[in-house]
């Protein structure tokens, strides 16, 4: 068994990865900004980061933020090289090279840093988690009418299934860019509208290169629909009877 550091180990994905690695007999260190004894802001780096990676064989990099991911990766890679880490596993997003969305561009830049790190590496791209869509729909359903970007589909995947795959990859040899991982179904957003709140849906055409990328399906992996839990099944398991409500069919500008 190996010593494995999980960055973002208290987050939605990272905590599941850490728990599964421990269950597999690995020694696991959880790194996050507020989790002792490895409370580290990756964007700052420093001695605390060096201490966290000392003696580590493998890093599973799940930490992510809207800003500062590239600097965080540089600091992590520098510390990992200094500590002789042998394997760096990074979880990215399907479509980071297809959709010119700022957050995606940052994830792509981190992929390149990982590839050029000089450390054995593995990169897994996954589609969006069920949890993210639920958060989005819950926010949008606060209004009497739910406005959704017209023509956009999604392919949500169960986060626990992604965690299982990352654990497999972390326990294996560096594999480079592995096959993408997508949810079981590609469906229009209006038919993934969550929760028991009934809301009319208005499909709104947007503009810009990022919207065109999403509308063209650059963030989807239909040929890699390897996830097994559907969005409806996730809702049923999580909310106990929560259902997906189909959209009203209304559209507008």
């Amino acid at each position: 068994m190996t010593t494995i550091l999980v960055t973002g180990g208290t987050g939605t994905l990272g905590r599941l990865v850490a728990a599964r690695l421990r269950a597999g007999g690995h020694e696991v260190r959880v790194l996050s900004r507020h989790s002792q004894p490895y409370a580290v802001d990756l964007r700052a780096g420093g001695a605390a980061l060096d201490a966290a990676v000392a003696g580590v064989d493998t890093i599973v990099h799940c930490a992510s933020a809207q800003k500062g991911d590239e600097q965080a990766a540089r600091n992590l890679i520098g510390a990992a090289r200094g500590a002789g880490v042998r394997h760096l596993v990074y979880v990215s997003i399907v479509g980071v090279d297809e959709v010119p969305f700022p957050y995606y561009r940052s994830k792509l830049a981190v992929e390149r840093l990982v590839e050029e790190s000089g450390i054995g590496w593995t990169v897994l791209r996954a589609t969006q988690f069920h949890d993210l869509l639920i958060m989005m729909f819950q926010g949008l359903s606060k209004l009497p009418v739910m406005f959704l970007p017209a023509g956009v589909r999604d392919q949500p995947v169960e986060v626990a299934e992604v965690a299982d795959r990352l654990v497999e990859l972390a326990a294996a040899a560096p594999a480079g860019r592995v096959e993408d991982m997508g949810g079981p179904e590609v469906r229009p957003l209006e038919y993934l509208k969550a929760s028991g709140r009934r809301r009319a849906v208005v499909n709104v055409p947007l503009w810009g290169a990022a919207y065109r990328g999403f509308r063209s399906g650059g963030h989807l992996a239909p040929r890699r629909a390897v996830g097994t839990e559907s969005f409806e099944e996730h809702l049923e398991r999580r909310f106990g009877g929560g259902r997906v409500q189909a959209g009203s069919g209304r559209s507008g500008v």
Side-chain angles (χ1 to χ4, degrees), residues 2 27 42 51 53 105 135 141 149 169 219:
T2 56
E27 179 183 340
L42 284 173
V53 301
R105 285 174 171 166
M135 289 176 57
S141 66
L169 295 170
H219 62 304

Side-chain angles (χ1 to χ4, degrees), residues 3-237:
T3 300
I4 300 177
L5 175 71
V6 180
T7 73
T10 58
T12 300
L13 175 62
R15 62 184 174 81
L16 297 178
V17 171
R20 283 157 168 74
L21 287 169
R22 287 195 181 101
H26 298 281
E27 179 183 340
V28 178
R29 299 180 187 178
V30 169
L31 183 151
S32 73
R33 284 182 294 172
H34 306 293
S35 178
Q36 297 294 343
Y38 302 110
V40 177
D41 185 339
L42 284 173
R43 295 168 296 185
L49 176 57
D50 292 337
V53 301
V56 166
D57 299 291
T58 298
I59 296 173
V60 183
H61 186 26
C62 299
S64 189
Q66 291 297 320
K67 293 183 179 180
D69 270 4
E70 293 171 55
Q71 185 58 51
R74 291 188 187 96
N75 291 337
L76 180 64
I77 289 166
R81 280 200 298 251
V85 171
R86 294 180 293 179
H87 190 187
L88 176 57
V89 181
Y90 179 56
V91 58
S92 188
I93 304 172
V94 170
V96 293
D97 54 349
E98 297 286 341
V99 181
F101 186 59
Y103 181 58
Y104 281 26
R105 285 174 171 166
S106 180
K107 297 290 281 188
L108 180 60
V110 173
E111 284 188 14
R112 290 171 176 161
L113 290 171
V114 169
E115 293 168 9
E116 298 167 0
S117 66
I119 301 169
W121 61 275
T122 302
V123 170
L124 170 68
R125 291 181 181 177
T127 55
Q128 302 293 344
F129 300 154
H130 294 311
D131 306 69
L132 180 63
L133 284 179
I134 289 171
M135 289 176 57
M136 181 184 77
F137 290 137
Q138 286 176 337
L140 292 172
S141 66
K142 293 178 181 179
L143 298 174
V145 176
M146 185 179 290
F147 296 94
L148 295 176
V152 174
R153 299 161 294 157
D154 218 321
Q155 188 183 355
V157 67
E158 169 54 36
V159 63
E161 296 177 10
V162 178
D164 289 338
R165 178 64 173 140
L166 285 172
V167 168
E168 291 178 1
L169 295 170
R177 168 84 185 280
V178 298
E179 290 185 314
D180 295 347
M181 184 172 186
E185 298 176 300
V186 176
R187 299 176 64 182
L189 279 181
E190 59 264 34
Y191 293 104
L192 291 171
K193 184 164 74 70
S195 82
R197 296 183 179 180
R198 294 184 177 273
R199 294 289 186 270
V201 173
V202 176
N203 294 303
V204 183
L206 301 177
W207 58 90
Y211 171 62
R212 290 194 297 271
F214 284 120
R215 184 162 182 164
S216 68
H219 62 304
L220 305 175
R223 296 183 180 179
R224 291 296 301 161
V226 295
T228 61
E229 183 170 281
S230 70
F231 193 59
E232 290 92 339
E233 290 168 339
H234 177 86
L235 290 175
E236 179 68 29
R237 178 174 57 81

